[in-house]
Amino acid sequence: FYNEKAAVAACLPLLAVTAGLFLTLKYVMKDRSFVTLGTSYRTPPDFRLGKWKAPALLFASAVVYFSVAFPVYELLKGSGGWETFSRVIRSPSMTALFNTAALSAVTATVVLPLCFLSAVALEQSRNTRSGLLWYMAAVLPFAVPGTLAGIGMIGLWNRPGLGLFYGTSVVLLAAYAGRFVPFGVQAAGAAVRGIHPGMLEYARLVEPSFFRRMIRVDVPLAGPGLPAAWMVVFVLCLGELASTILLVPPGMQTLSVRIYSLIHYGESTQVDALCIMLLCTAFLPLLAVLPLMKRRY
């Protein structure tokens, strides 16, 4: 109904729930530190479950089956086999797939330095103000629906003087960055929190240049956390629909919008095939990132 005020008001309960969960997390974790003096990610020791081994294995297997194996099997069964995939490959859906993969990769690459620098800055300034800043920058955006983010981006970009960018893929890139930078900051922050503060302080003493210290000290110490942050942002961008459907420029189509449109036309076999292709697109960069995550610094 084009009622932006009502849309914002509907978002407030989500923000309140997120705030409550954040305060609970802060209370449980308190000021515990999880740091390492090394840069290698070692294999964790075995934990003996004893009599709980069988129930734990059954529970883990059920989670994998119902969340991964069964849905993928249903998609493969409903896709109709290679004939459908061959038809999809020759259709405009491949252009949508290329647009989605390219835009997601560019967004993840562009925001990765921002995610890392934000995580370093927030982790190195531990006080009440930085805790509030961490909440505002890296936690609160989790509760903002994609539709509301799209409305905000329209209000920000759809104005005189910005016509060169509005209606282009730049707006989608900006929307994805705004939506998923917090996820990247969380992933990069997990790696930064594992670095002993003393090592970073020593690095500041021996290397006064900020950028050289980042490249030679901070980035190697963060280790596999940075490829993981890239993958998180990339995968989330691949499937983003809510903000995309509001901001996608004329003449351009992403795979999520393509799938959404085909559902309304009843093209279930093509939808299943495109979903499988979207999954494969998410896994291909993972094959390249995994060796980096396993590398010993």
Side-chain angles (χ1 to χ4, degrees), residues 13-257:
L14 294 174
L15 301 181
V17 170
T18 306
L21 293 174
F22 173 75
L23 294 175
T24 302
L25 176 65
K26 292 287 288 183
Y27 175 78
V28 172
M29 297 298 294
K30 299 187 183 301
D31 294 324
R32 297 175 185 173
S33 177
F34 303 91
V35 299
T36 177
L37 293 175
T39 59
S40 298
Y41 283 64
R42 299 176 177 84
T43 303
D46 292 336
F47 184 78
R48 303 296 178 181
L49 294 175
K51 64 180 181 180
W52 293 101
K53 182 176 181 179
L57 179 62
L58 181 63
F59 175 77
S61 302
V63 170
V64 172
Y65 175 76
F66 287 109
S67 63
V68 180
F70 182 69
V72 171
Y73 169 74
E74 287 295 318
L75 289 173
L76 286 172
K77 185 175 68 172
S79 64
W82 173 248
E83 181 181 349
T84 304
F85 283 97
S86 134
R87 181 156 43 93
V88 167
I89 290 174
R90 296 192 300 269
S91 72
S93 297
M94 291 306 296
T95 303
L97 177 60
F98 174 79
N99 292 337
T100 302
L103 189 61
S104 300
V106 170
T107 303
T109 304
V110 168
V111 305
L112 182 59
L114 176 61
C115 294
F116 180 67
L117 292 175
S118 301
V120 170
L122 292 171
E123 287 297 330
Q124 289 182 357
S125 57
R126 289 182 173 275
N127 51 49
T128 303
R129 183 178 299 177
S130 66
L132 179 61
L133 182 61
W134 177 269
Y135 172 69
M136 296 295 294
V139 178
L140 193 62
F142 280 79
V144 178
T147 305
L148 191 62
I151 293 173
M153 294 299 294
I154 292 174
L156 177 66
W157 290 85
N158 188 17
R159 59 182 65 204
L162 295 178
L164 182 64
F165 302 102
Y166 188 75
T168 68
S169 57
V170 174
V171 176
L172 280 179
L173 192 152
Y176 290 171
R179 287 270 290 145
F180 302 126
V181 158
F183 294 84
V185 172
Q186 291 283 351
V192 173
R193 281 191 294 271
I195 304 174
H196 195 283
M199 300 182 71
L200 298 178
E201 293 172 3
Y202 178 75
R204 283 196 287 269
L205 290 175
V206 300
E207 181 54 77
S209 173
F210 173 79
F211 290 104
R212 288 171 62 183
R213 187 172 65 245
M214 279 288 168
I215 295 173
R216 297 177 60 183
V217 179
D218 294 1
V219 171
L221 287 176
L226 298 186
W230 189 94
M231 277 300 305
V232 167
V233 177
F234 175 78
V235 171
L236 291 173
C237 290
L238 281 179
E240 173 62 12
L241 173 65
S243 60
T244 304
I245 204 168
L246 293 175
L247 298 170
V248 64
M252 179 181 177
Q253 196 173 48
T254 65
L255 196 57
S256 59
V257 175

